[in-house]
Structures are given as structure tokens and as C-alpha cells.
Amino acid sequence: MTTVREPAGHVDRIDELAAVKELTRTGGDPRATERQHAKGKLTAHERIELLVDKGSFTEVEPLRRHRATGFGLEAKRPHGDGVVAGWGTVDGRRVFVYAHDFRAFGGALGEAHAQKIHKVMDLAIAAGAPLVSLNDGAGARIQEGVSALAGYGGIFQRNVRASGVIPQISVMLGPCAGGAAYSPALTDFAFMVRGISQMFITGPDVVRTVTGEEISMEGLGGAEVHGGTSGAAHFVYDDEESCLADVRLLLSMLPANNRELPPVVRGDDPVDRRGDRLLDLVPVDGARSYDVRDVIEEIVDDGDHFEVHALWAPNLVCSFARLDGQLVGIVASQPSALAGVLDIRASEKGARFVQFCDSFNIPLLTLVDVPGFLPGVDQEHDGIIRRGAKLLYAYCNATVPRVSVVLRKAYGGAYIVMDSRSIGADVAYAWPTNEIAVMGAEAAADVVFRREIAASDDPARTRREKIEQYRDELVHPLYAAERGLVDDVIDPRRTREVLIRAFAMLETKDADLPRRKHGNPPQ
């Protein structure tokens, strides 16, 4: 007698579904989770829980499985296929996210894996919300061949399509090798964690084979390398928890897309708060250094600012802060590093930051104390002309409100590049200690009065006299204001109030560039 099996009821099906989803969440093998934790790393779901508001995450395609065959793949088809993707909220605002699950295929990307990422990227673009990638993968899934490579191509194409439309943030929480490293390079910001994050095009084994050089993964592409040497990482942390907390902080500041303004967060810091400390923070003597971050903290709301690329090109500070609740992007000369000169790295750092702020409607504040561009054979041979021009191009191309303040010296081409009135700053101010000139008085006197100094009976005394003559005639604090190159010379103690009033006036600024497909910035 044949027994007829009754169809499973709704409850049975629901229980079966719940079991499958729980297996997907836990990874199926407790030992894989233990290995992840033993490395000081969280799982994909644990990371997402730290990133988004509690209970807000909605996963897409959690049951997706690959259809590849060969090399034993047909016997290993975990649900989710090694990536968790979906959306949630950060401080109540929608954010899309995908996270590699290293427990499945080492987080390696295959065709189904890539299609899940493509799905969530398309949703982010369509919804006009930020995209965060939590990267912890071994690159392309070799067993799937060119299908895996095509998957990366689809990610890169979407990265570029989303550029300047929605904020894109890459968080490196494990290895990111080969072609996979290009996606973080195409996004707006990259976060890395010391000891667990590595990013490189060719790994140590390939380097050893091709060049004979011996180097570790950390030494080749670790967080310190990319944070301080290559500049590929904007933020570096000691652990995942603090890293993801700052990803949340950054997201809370930024607009959801290029059609919105940044969120305004009013506080209790008075608009007219005087900055008496500024008189002591910035020495009148242009040869003495100081930390411009102290100046920023004295000016902005509650002294809070969020510095970008703090470890790379430290002679230029780029930071986000608020003035009367309004987010601004700050670009500031840093006299405590290389005397605040502009060099190749600082120019590229500033240009990228200015372009991001302009893309997402973030007003720009520029604090100037720059002695010029860094001289040297290496700088010239490595392209300071074309690479320094990137910062000039970025400022000239920016249509957001732009206010600049010359704190002390501003010499030569670097003065022009640091958002001077001549390249389009809406409002330009200067402190009474300003020295705006082609070059410093000492160097200028040596050029202009070279013959008189050489012919003098007392060259040293004549040089001192000529330096003072040049300074009195061309570098005095009111010279630029008398010629309309700055709008006003202000009391440093009133800087905060003056800036807030200027940005409030510019709130409705409407400036369009000429119609064109796109510009051709210097490379």
C-alpha cells in the first residue's frame, strides 16, 4: 500500500524558511565564525548591526545561490553566496549596504554574488541614498573564471554612475586584492582598520616573484600604508567598532544625494561667540608655526570637526564642521607641517575634497597661511604643475558658497590657488596679520634690490632697509583690501560671527557652469 504524503502546511513552510535563514545568518559552520572572531574580525551581519539603526535592516536576496559547476562548486551552494546586501537607516535616514561574508568562499566574488551587489547599488542610485560597502573578500572567485571578472566590471560601472550622485563609502575590514581594490578607489571615502585591512593590486607573492622584494601583506597594503603613504585610505582605526561608529558619524553629516542640502543641526554655541584665544594661537611672526586645527576648533560649533585624510599630506587640513548648524567643508593650510606649503600630495588631497563638497552642496571655507608651492627637483619631475593644477581646477569649477580667510601669509601662485577672489571666492577676508604678495619681503628684496644691496658699503643694513621698504609699500595689512582683493580686514576674534553671516548670505547662491558634457581636469 502506497502512503500519500500530505503537503506541508503553512507553519511547516514558515519553520523551514526560518531554519534556512538562520543557517545563512550563522554561516552553517560555527568554526568559521570562530576563525573570523579569532582574527579580531566580526561577521557580516554583526558589522551591519553596528552600522545601521537597531532593527532597521532589510536584506535582499538572502536565499540567492550560485549556479556554477565544476571544481566542486556544485557541491557547495550556500544561501546568500558570500555577501549580505540590503538597506537600513542611520539616525533614521536610509542607507544601502553590502557586506562580504568571509565565511563563504572567503568572501570571493562570483556571478551570483556580484548580481546581489549590482542589485543593491541600483536600488541606492534609484532611491537617492548613500551606499556603504563592507569589504572582506579574497577577490574574484577563480573557479567561476571570467564571469567573476565581469561581475567586478558591473560594480565599477555603477560606482562611476553613482559618483557625485550619492555618497559612496568603502570600509575595508579584511583583504581586498586585485581588481576588487578599484571599487574603493572609485568611491568617495575609504575606511581601514589596523591589523585586519589590506588592499593591493598584486599581493606579496606576486611582488616577490616579479621583483624579488620581500614584504608582508600589512607592509604592502595595510591601513598605515594607505593612510599615510599612498593616500588610498581617508580614515584609519584600531578596531571595527570605532571605525563603524565614525562611518555612522560621517553619514549623519552628509546629504543623502546631490539634490539635497546637508542636514542642519542647530546647537547652543552662540553665533557671536568671540574667539579671544585666536590672538594667542596664531603668532604674528610668519616664521613661527602653529596647529591650524586649534584655529578650526575655536571657530566652529562646539569645537567639533571631523578631519579627512589626517595621516596623509598633513601640510593641508581637510575637515567637516558646522557653523551655526550648517555643514561646511574646511580646507586649511597647516603651518606645523612643511610650513604649510602646497606640494603634490596636498594639492591632490585638497582637490578631491573640494570636488566632493561641490558635488554634494557643502559650502567651502578656506583658511590660508601658505608660503608657496614646495620647490624641488622631485616635485617638478613628479608633476607639481599638472597635479598642483588639480586644486586650482577644483576650486574654479566649484559652484557652492565659498569663503576664504587669509590668516597670515599668502604668497605667489599658492595664494591664487587657495580660493582667492580672482578664482571665484564669493567672499574673501583677511586678518590684520596678513601678508599677501608675490613672495615674502626678504626674498622679494633680494630680487628687486639686488644691485643696490650689492653696491652698498653695508649690504646687510641696506638689505634690512629694502626689506622694510618692500613690506611697507606692498605687503602691509591693508594693501589687498585697498585694491579689492579681499572684502574686509577683520578682527580675528570676530571670525566665527563674520563667517556665519557670510555663509547665511550665500545660502541661496545660484551659480551654473557653462553647458558642457564634462570638463577635462588635469591628471
Side-chain angles (χ1 to χ4, degrees):
M1 179 175 179
T2 303
T3 303
V4 178
R5 183 178 179 183
E6 292 292 330
H10 287 298
V11 173
D12 294 330
R13 293 294 191 189
I14 291 171
D15 290 344
E16 181 183 347
L17 175 64
V20 171
K21 288 190 174 182
E22 180 61 21
L23 188 66
T24 301
R25 179 181 178 81
T26 60
D29 182 0
R31 292 173 299 177
T33 301
E34 291 171 4
R35 288 193 294 270
Q36 187 81 343
H37 288 165
K39 297 175 184 176
K41 298 163 64 176
L42 302 174
T43 66
H45 284 96
E46 289 170 342
R47 288 163 174 167
I48 291 173
E49 287 171 359
L50 285 175
L51 176 65
V52 303
D53 299 336
K54 185 176 181 179
S56 70
F57 184 65
T58 298
E59 188 172 352
V60 298
E61 299 190 2
L63 304 178
R64 186 73 176 262
R65 303 168 80 180
H66 73 75
R67 295 175 291 183
T69 59
F71 305 101
L73 285 178
E74 61 273 12
K76 187 176 182 182
R77 300 178 62 229
H79 289 100
D81 203 53
V83 64
V84 181
W87 70 87
T89 60
V90 171
D91 294 336
R93 302 167 67 223
R94 186 174 294 108
V95 173
F96 288 82
V97 58
Y98 67 86
H100 298 133
D101 189 344
F102 198 83
R103 298 171 303 176
F105 301 110
L109 181 138
E111 183 178 25
H113 181 122
Q115 288 172 351
K116 288 181 65 174
I117 294 175
H118 297 169
K119 168 76 172 182
V120 81
M121 294 180 79
D122 289 339
L123 287 173
I125 296 170
L131 174 70
V132 180
S133 64
L134 306 180
N135 298 273
D136 184 8
R141 197 173 300 171
I142 299 172
Q143 300 94 320
E144 294 195 29
V146 73
S147 296
L149 296 180
Y152 276 125
I155 293 173
F156 303 156
Q157 190 267 343
R158 287 166 173 83
N159 284 139
V160 174
R161 181 147 51 95
S163 181
V165 178
I166 57 172
Q168 299 180 84
I169 297 173
S170 298
V171 188
M172 319 310 297
L173 300 171
C176 185
Y182 282 113
S183 181
L186 290 169
T187 60
D188 299 307
F189 298 105
F191 289 69
M192 294 188 75
V193 177
R194 295 179 178 92
I196 66 171
S197 303
Q198 297 93 34
M199 184 165 51
F200 38 72
I201 299 299
T202 54
D205 293 340
V206 176
V207 170
R208 184 185 308 112
T209 300
V210 175
T211 71
E213 297 171 289
E214 292 284 347
I215 193 166
S216 66
M217 289 178 65
E218 194 70 18
L220 182 62
E224 292 291 347
V225 170
H226 288 308
T229 303
S230 76
H234 299 79
F235 306 95
V236 175
Y237 298 88
D238 290 325
D239 56 74
E240 293 193 33
E241 290 81 1
S242 58
C243 174
L244 292 170
D246 269 4
V247 175
R248 284 180 57 91
L249 175 61
L250 179 58
L251 287 167
S252 73
M253 295 180 178
L254 302 179
N257 55 63
N258 64 343
R259 302 183 302 278
E260 295 184 4
L261 296 175
V264 176
V265 181
R266 304 291 183 194
D268 299 324
D269 201 345
V271 170
D272 59 354
R273 173 174 56 78
R274 285 166 61 93
D276 293 326
R277 287 185 63 239
L278 292 172
L279 301 183
D280 298 321
L281 290 176
V282 181
V284 175
D285 182 359
R288 293 178 57 192
S289 71
Y290 62 92
D291 192 334
V292 76
R293 291 171 294 192
D294 294 334
V295 176
I296 294 171
E297 290 168 7
E298 187 64 25
I299 292 171
V300 302
D301 292 358
D302 303 313
D304 292 333
H305 68 109
F306 189 52
E307 188 173 355
V308 178
H309 259 149
L311 302 178
W312 189 64
N315 42 318
L316 191 75
V317 171
C318 297
S319 201
F320 292 113
R322 296 189 184 278
L323 285 170
D324 193 29
Q326 170 66 58
L327 184 69
V328 295
I330 301 174
V331 179
S333 308
Q334 177 56 295
S336 67
L338 292 177
V341 298
L342 285 177
D343 61 357
I344 286 171
R345 290 185 173 186
S347 299
E348 294 189 330
K349 171 181 174 177
R352 178 74 168 173
F353 185 75
V354 168
Q355 287 169 176
F356 176 83
C357 290
D358 188 51
S359 293
F360 292 101
N361 310 309
I362 301 170
L364 287 162
L365 168 62
T366 305
L367 303 178
V368 186
D369 190 350
V370 62
F373 281 94
L374 181 65
V377 174
D378 288 345
Q379 288 288 305
E380 296 292 346
H381 288 185
D382 289 342
I384 185 62
I385 294 174
R386 62 180 175 82
R387 296 163 79 175
K390 292 182 181 182
L391 181 56
L392 176 62
Y393 187 99
Y395 269 125
C396 290
N397 204 45
T399 60
V400 293
R402 292 157 50 190
V403 178
S404 65
V405 183
V406 177
L407 306 181
R408 211 165 51 171
K409 56 189 175 296
Y411 295 153
Y415 153 66
I416 299 172
V417 169
M418 287 291 284
D419 206 20
S420 62
R421 276 280 301 276
S422 59
I423 66 168
D426 297 298
V427 183
Y429 295 111
W431 283 4
T433 47
N434 80 82
E435 294 183 4
I436 303 174
V438 175
M439 60 181 68
E442 291 83 359
D446 289 339
V447 174
V448 176
F449 305 109
R450 180 177 65 254
R451 292 179 180 176
E452 291 96 320
I453 293 171
S456 172
D457 294 334
D458 188 348
R461 177 177 58 80
T462 300
R463 183 175 182 272
R464 288 194 300 271
E465 291 174 350
K466 295 302 182 182
I467 289 172
E468 288 306 311
Q469 178 185 343
Y470 185 86
R471 181 175 285 120
D472 291 342
E473 293 183 13
L474 294 176
V475 195
H476 64 80
L478 303 183
Y479 185 85
E482 290 171 354
R483 284 152 182 79
L485 299 176
V486 297
D487 291 283
D488 198 6
V489 179
I490 63 173
D491 182 341
R493 295 169 295 184
R494 293 187 59 243
T495 302
R496 171 178 166 81
E497 177 185 0
V498 168
L499 291 175
I500 289 173
R501 293 184 184 278
F503 280 118
M505 176 273 295
L506 291 166
E507 190 173 357
T508 55
K509 176 184 176 182
D510 184 15
D512 291 324
L513 293 170
R515 185 178 181 276
R516 59 183 174 183
K517 185 175 182 181
H518 57 73
N520 186 26
Q523 296 299 322

